[in-house]
Amino acid sequence: MTTMRRTVSASLIVCAVVAGACKEERSITSAPEGTLAFGQNMGKAASNLPRGRAIFPATPAASATPAADSIIIEFSGMDSLSTGSYVVWVGNDSATKFAPATGTLTILRTDTTINAAGDPVITSSTTTSATLSSFKNGRSNYFMRFAATRASVPALAATDSANLFLVSVEPGATGALPGERRVLWGRRSQSAALGTPARQMAGMRFGNFAARLTEEYPFATSAATANAFGPTAFTATTLIIPRGRIEVRGPIFTVNDSNYYRPPVGYYYEAWAIRTDTLGRFIDTISLGQKATPYPKRLSYYEADKTIVDPTYMFGTPFAVIFASQHRVSADTISAAVINGRAWREFSFVYVTLQNKAAPTDRMGAVAIMTVATPSSVTGR
């Protein structure tokens, strides 16, 4: 029995020595080491998705007075572009013939400010630009209306149908056909008679356009209403339900998430930490990095709009889904992340956004997919 006790005691001594040697490098749940970590579960936002409605002429083909045949699309959720331009196209039923349209762009801008009492104050303004064939405009608070006539699309013959409206992102001069970034479209075949007098309206789709319905990729689908042009004219939804969690430990900020649709061609995912003042107003944003595969590979999903970055974490048919991903940065490399000597102080929100590759790379995009408020243990409030 004495020998047994000595053996056990010796084992305990060895364990204590080993534990002491590893104390600065390892921890367990009952004995954590280092800075405390704080986290919060994220929630689906899917706010400000690219969306809109298409308003078609009364008849599919040109009438005796093509100038009276209105071609109208109304849309929102589009980012302003730094490289390339948006172009509106009119196409036939089979999407075998397209022609760029020239028209008038009207922008309804809605701004919300916070007054000294902390209450929101909403103001609106309208600007109009005539005879446009392309434009770069777009912001989270812009509602845009592009209006043209059949006469402004002379490349379409009177015998051609005008049953498809499409918005593309063109990197350079407009060619004979829309490029590969065919991001927003509406079909007459999916329209309904709405309003008084009734007009043919279709909710637009956002994603990757294809001539065949079975081959197109709708990341989000809009529902059109009979309401006047403005915030209530259309809404959009996306079916995917992403999930995730933020974690802050000392200077390290991570977003661990999953279950995202692959981005449409020309888009990618990025996460942002948002600093606010005491009234909740946004005063700064810091990128938490582009979405990447989990540790240890950490491969960027920037090209996930066209390729399967890693079949371990991105798979599915007919359209791929990102099943595991992460964003990770350290405040030690970002001076603006340290406020009064404390990392991530006053950073109250985290957004995962869908970014347009043709938009400015240093600015948070308009399309929020996931959001969360950071814990007060992080913000210091």
Side-chain angles (χ1 to χ4, degrees):
M1 184 66 71
T2 302
T3 302
M4 178 66 74
R5 288 197 189 97
R6 288 176 179 172
T7 303
V8 173
S9 298
S11 299
L12 291 174
I13 292 171
V14 171
C15 290
V17 172
V18 172
C22 300
K23 186 174 181 180
E24 294 181 357
E25 299 178 6
R26 298 178 182 273
S27 64
I28 59 176
T29 54
S30 61
E33 298 291 343
T35 307
L36 292 176
F38 302 94
Q40 187 72 276
N41 292 336
M42 304 190 76
K44 176 182 176 180
S47 60
N48 211 26
L49 290 164
R51 59 200 183 277
R53 65 181 180 184
I55 305 173
F56 293 90
T59 58
S63 65
T65 55
D69 292 334
S70 61
I71 293 171
I72 300 171
I73 60 170
E74 298 171 347
F75 52 99
S76 187
M78 309 294 277
D79 289 303
S80 61
L81 304 182
S82 57
T83 60
S85 302
Y86 294 113
V87 176
V88 177
W89 302 79
V90 182
N92 60 6
D93 282 307
S94 57
T96 57
K97 186 174 184 178
F98 286 94
T102 299
T104 298
L105 181 68
T106 300
I107 299 177
L108 171 63
R109 174 173 174 167
T110 302
D111 291 301
T112 302
T113 57
I114 306 297
N115 62 20
D119 298 322
V121 178
I122 299 175
T123 57
S124 297
S125 60
T126 302
T127 58
T128 300
S129 301
T131 320
L132 290 180
S133 57
S134 64
F135 51 94
K136 296 177 178 288
N137 312 71
R139 288 183 64 174
S140 60
N141 59 344
Y142 280 9
F143 291 86
M144 297 185 282
R145 185 177 195 267
F146 184 88
T149 64
R150 181 63 181 256
S152 69
V153 193
L156 284 183
T159 54
D160 292 323
S161 63
N163 290 343
L164 170 65
F165 299 163
L166 183 147
V167 180
S168 69
V169 177
E170 301 299 327
T174 303
L177 292 172
E180 64 174 355
R181 300 181 187 181
R182 305 178 177 191
V183 298
L184 195 65
W185 67 94
R187 301 177 191 263
R188 188 186 187 93
S189 61
Q190 296 171 326
S191 68
L194 297 174
T196 304
R199 294 180 294 172
Q200 290 298 129
M201 297 187 192
M204 302 189 79
R205 298 189 173 196
F206 167 68
N208 301 335
F209 171 81
R212 293 176 179 270
L213 287 171
T214 55
E215 296 175 359
E216 70 181 20
Y217 169 38
F219 183 96
T221 303
S222 302
T225 75
N227 296 337
F229 167 58
T232 63
F234 38 80
T235 58
T237 57
T238 182
L239 297 179
I240 199 72
I241 302 177
R243 51 188 177 269
R245 181 175 176 83
I246 63 169
E247 297 285 349
V248 181
R249 182 171 183 171
I252 304 301
F253 204 130
T254 62
V255 180
N256 300 289
D257 51 3
S258 62
N259 208 41
Y260 284 74
Y261 279 145
R262 91 180 309 164
V265 173
Y267 286 82
Y268 66 99
Y269 292 108
E270 190 164 355
W272 306 81
I274 301 171
R275 185 184 174 196
T276 64
D277 62 16
T278 55
L279 294 179
R281 295 175 294 196
F282 289 13
I283 57 176
D284 195 11
T285 59
I286 289 180
S287 172
L288 300 179
Q290 298 170 7
K291 189 173 293 299
T293 62
Y295 176 87
K297 290 184 178 180
R298 293 198 47 77
L299 301 175
S300 172
Y301 279 118
Y302 186 80
E303 298 296 339
D305 57 335
K306 295 183 182 181
T307 64
I308 301 297
V309 173
D310 188 330
T312 303
Y313 304 114
M314 184 179 176
F315 51 89
T317 56
F319 304 108
V321 172
I322 296 172
F323 280 95
S325 57
Q326 186 183 67
H327 308 258
R328 184 184 188 278
V329 297
S330 174
D332 292 338
T333 62
I334 308 171
S335 59
V338 181
I339 308 299
N340 296 328
R342 178 173 166 180
W344 306 111
R345 183 182 179 90
E346 300 178 6
F347 284 85
S348 304
F349 298 97
V350 174
Y351 279 39
V352 176
T353 59
L354 185 66
Q355 301 282 127
N356 192 319
K357 291 183 177 180
T361 58
D362 60 348
R363 188 172 66 199
M364 187 176 77
V367 186
I369 303 298
M370 289 264 277
T371 64
V372 68
T374 53
S376 58
S377 51
V378 174
T379 64
R381 292 176 177 159

